[in-house]
Amino acid sequence: MDQDQSIPVNHDDFIHDIAYNFYGSRLATCGSDRCIKIWDWNRQTGLWILNESIGAHDSSIVRLSWAHPEFGQVLASCSLDCTVRIWVEQETNMKNSSMRWRGLMPLGDSKAAVHSIAFAPEYSSLSIATGSSDGKVRLYSPTDPVRLSNWTVNCMIDFVPGGATDADGPLCVSWCKSRFSSPHMLVVGGSKHKNVKIYQLLSNVFVELLELAQYDSHVLDIDWAPTMGRSYHLIATACADGHIRIYKFWSDPSLAKTHLSDSLFVYDGDSDDNKDDANMKALDTSRHPDYASASSDEASDDTDDSEDSADDEDSEDSISADDDDDNDGTDSDPDRSSSASGGGLYASDPDRRGRQRGRPSAPRSELASDIAVQPSVPIRRIRWNSSGTLLVSSSDDGVVRMWRMAASGTWREVAAVNAEKDAAED
């Protein structure tokens, strides 16, 4: 690390979570002392200045989440007292006046501890998902989006059929942050059944899309990475067995068949003479997906027309029409369109005809990496950076580790910060 700085947060007990706002200029901390402390970054001095200390809950506060700044300065907290609270900054009041942050009515629908909260992405309306130990995920939104008042439950996921208790462990939730993929997707990890599932919000109802995996240990945290132009999603899970598991997820399986899953275009079955042409074609289709779909559809239509007219006397006219299309610059040869795996969005796709008839193909996923952290201790938190290229984890040994994917596709540790060692040296 180029520079580190110790912040005297002055919590009276364990710190359970920290959360930066969208711009990284404000920091919130919470802990077992039932307090939330909010800090502002001073650009002139380079120090974090206390904005407010809030006595927020009746029990330990375990998670914080900031809303997007277009909704104002809004912070949410959840606690072992089975409640969620929303905090709104009152900029007219002085800092450290105990009136700077206004707490709204506690959300107490859960019958067990609430362990996870996450505001929905900014492209959606203002809403927040909560995961609690009763085995349910609840989606809240305000009926008055201007005053941010009267938060109610819009819909709910019964993640653990029959319910659960605090002894079964927490639930963790994370939203898909991409506005260009299938919207309103949410991933949920649970401890009782040790599984991870992806849901999509459709007409105020969460529909299960896919179960990623079942584990042999508890899932303690989960985070959905920003896509940043990738044709797939990355989802990381932190487990009590000391493993970090990273999954690739395709909401549209046709993209998984294009082999554009990495930073380089790789085509199976291409000869050296044809690789350059295939790469140029992949670049064209990746930059213009509509062209790729149209080109594939035209190729299939020409193929169907040729088959249907094989026994007709006008087959020669059909062939000449195809030749005219080729002369116009349109690649209507089905063999050419599928010669490079991934040359089109539907190349070598057996489910293409089903999608054309309106039957969506099922999403799919695969395990991209299984990282065994040494020493083997529970991994408590994981977070992606803003581009989804760097993964940060924290574990029970007091070490924060940073992971990055190498050119070979394997994830390796690139940095580590031992907070306890650094505190002892100070």
Side-chain angles (χ1 to χ4, degrees):
M1 302 293 289
D2 295 335
Q3 182 180 1
D4 57 9
Q5 178 183 351
S6 178
I7 304 174
V9 292
N10 297 324
H11 278 279
D12 296 331
D13 211 325
F14 291 111
I15 298 174
H16 292 298
D17 196 23
I18 62 174
Y20 287 93
N21 70 346
F22 179 81
Y23 299 107
S25 59
R26 177 165 281 177
L27 177 68
T29 62
C30 66
S32 293
D33 59 357
R34 301 171 293 174
C35 289
I36 298 174
K37 295 181 183 290
I38 301 175
W39 308 79
D40 292 329
W41 171 254
N42 190 312
R43 294 181 179 273
Q44 296 179 349
T45 63
L47 300 175
W48 290 92
I49 308 301
L50 183 64
N51 176 298
E52 189 71 282
S53 181
I54 308 170
H57 287 267
D58 296 330
S59 186
S60 298
I61 305 171
V62 294
R63 196 65 68 94
L64 301 169
S65 179
W66 289 96
H68 192 271
E70 70 177 63
F71 302 112
Q73 293 297 306
V74 182
L75 177 70
S77 61
C78 63
S79 170
L80 300 183
D81 64 3
C82 308
T83 64
V84 175
R85 298 205 66 177
I86 310 296
W87 307 91
V88 182
E89 185 179 23
Q90 310 297 302
E91 296 184 354
T92 57
N93 296 333
M94 294 183 60
K95 296 181 179 180
N96 290 310
S97 63
S98 72
M99 300 178 64
R100 180 77 176 186
W101 291 81
R102 177 173 62 94
L104 305 181
M105 184 66 66
L107 309 178
D109 297 279
S110 175
K111 303 304 180 183
V114 184
H115 287 273
S116 183
I117 52 176
F119 275 103
E122 68 277 7
Y123 64 80
S124 177
S125 59
L126 179 61
S127 56
I128 186 171
T130 68
S132 56
S133 293
D134 60 1
K136 294 178 173 57
V137 176
R138 297 172 175 86
L139 182 67
Y140 292 90
S141 60
T143 56
D144 186 351
V146 177
R147 300 182 60 185
L148 302 180
S149 60
N150 192 21
W151 290 70
T152 58
V153 179
N154 283 347
C155 56
M156 185 171 59
I157 300 175
D158 191 8
F159 188 76
V160 181
T165 63
D166 290 330
D168 296 320
L171 290 185
C172 43
V173 299
S174 181
W175 288 93
C176 172
K177 302 163 181 68
S178 172
R179 69 172 70 219
F180 303 108
S181 181
S182 300
H184 310 299
M185 290 191 297
L186 179 74
V187 61
V188 182
S191 288
K192 181 176 182 179
H193 295 296
K194 304 175 183 177
N195 54 2
V196 176
K197 296 181 180 180
I198 296 176
Y199 296 85
Q200 186 174 11
L201 183 62
L202 300 172
S203 301
N204 284 334
V205 176
F206 276 108
V207 178
E208 182 180 338
L209 296 182
L210 180 71
E211 181 173 357
L212 281 183
Q214 289 190 342
Y215 294 85
D216 295 330
S217 66
H218 295 292
V219 180
L220 302 180
D221 197 16
I222 194 166
D223 197 31
W224 197 314
T227 54
M228 295 301 290
R230 288 188 296 263
S231 61
Y232 59 92
H233 298 271
L234 287 176
I235 300 174
T237 61
C239 303
D241 59 359
H243 284 245
I244 300 172
R245 295 172 175 89
I246 302 175
Y247 291 88
K248 290 181 179 180
F249 168 71
W250 292 267
S251 57
D252 183 356
S254 63
L255 296 177
K257 299 177 183 298
T258 64
H259 298 278
L260 301 182
S261 57
D262 299 315
S263 59
L264 299 177
F265 297 116
V266 180
Y267 295 85
D268 296 329
D270 282 353
S271 63
D272 294 337
D273 295 335
N274 295 331
K275 281 185 178 179
D276 292 339
D277 294 337
N279 289 342
M280 291 303 297
K281 186 175 182 181
L283 288 173
D284 289 338
T285 56
S286 63
R287 293 170 183 168
H288 306 285
D290 293 338
Y291 164 77
S293 179
S295 176
S296 178
D297 290 343
E298 289 175 1
S300 177
D301 292 341
D302 292 337
T303 302
D304 294 340
D305 292 341
S306 177
E307 291 176 354
D308 294 338
S309 60
D311 297 332
D312 296 339
E313 295 179 356
D314 296 333
S315 60
E316 294 181 359
D317 295 336
S318 175
I319 295 175
S320 62
D322 292 342
D323 293 338
D324 292 338
D325 291 340
D326 291 341
N327 295 332
D328 291 338
T330 303
D331 184 7
S332 61
D333 186 352
D335 293 334
R336 290 181 58 191
S337 64
S338 61
S339 60
S341 167
L345 289 180
Y346 302 111
S348 303
D349 187 356
D351 294 332
R352 175 180 177 277
R353 296 184 183 274
R355 284 194 302 276
Q356 282 185 328
R357 298 189 179 102
R359 297 195 301 269
S361 54
R364 63 173 291 257
S365 66
E366 66 180 34
L367 180 64
S369 181
D370 188 346
I371 305 172
V373 180
Q374 298 297 330
S376 181
V377 292
I379 311 297
R380 295 292 176 180
R381 292 286 189 272
I382 49 172
R383 285 295 178 271
W384 293 97
N385 66 344
S386 58
S387 61
T389 57
L390 186 73
L391 182 65
V392 181
S393 66
S394 64
S395 50
D396 280 358
D397 59 356
V399 178
V400 176
R401 297 175 174 87
M402 287 162 243
W403 310 86
R404 189 186 297 274
M405 187 176 69
S408 61
T410 59
W411 288 79
R412 59 186 181 88
E413 181 180 325
V414 295
V417 178
N418 192 327
E420 295 181 355
K421 180 179 179 181
D422 293 343
E425 292 176 353
D426 294 341

